[in-house]
Amino acid sequence: MIKTLKDTNFATNGIEIVLLDLKSEGCYIPSLKTIFINERLNQAKQKEIIKSIKERERIG
């Protein structure tokens, strides 16, 4: 099952956040305008990864 998060910080940019069972912590695919996050991480770690991707990719 794919879980999609709605994040108002990304809404204006059309960025979607999707939780999946990944081998990595997370990644951003610009062509899909989607951040993929490992669903097995706790919520604090997921937020940390989203912030890291956001800063690295200069999105949001």
Side-chain angles (χ1 to χ4, degrees):
M1 181 175 162
I2 297 175
K3 298 176 190 170
T4 303
L5 302 176
K6 297 291 184 187
D7 188 324
T8 56
N9 295 329
F10 293 111
T12 58
N13 295 327
I15 304 296
E16 188 172 23
I17 300 172
V18 177
L19 298 176
L20 294 173
D21 187 9
L22 302 172
K23 291 184 180 181
S24 68
E25 291 182 331
C27 67
Y28 173 62
I29 302 178
S31 61
L32 299 176
K33 290 188 168 186
T34 303
I35 295 174
F36 295 95
I37 300 295
N38 189 331
E39 69 183 359
R40 291 179 285 160
L41 301 174
N42 65 43
Q43 190 173 20
K45 185 66 173 175
Q46 288 175 357
K47 287 180 181 182
E48 179 183 317
I49 298 302
I50 291 168
K51 182 179 177 183
S52 171
I53 290 171
K54 179 182 170 183
E55 290 171 356
R56 183 179 67 234
E57 299 292 333
R58 296 184 178 102
I59 55 177

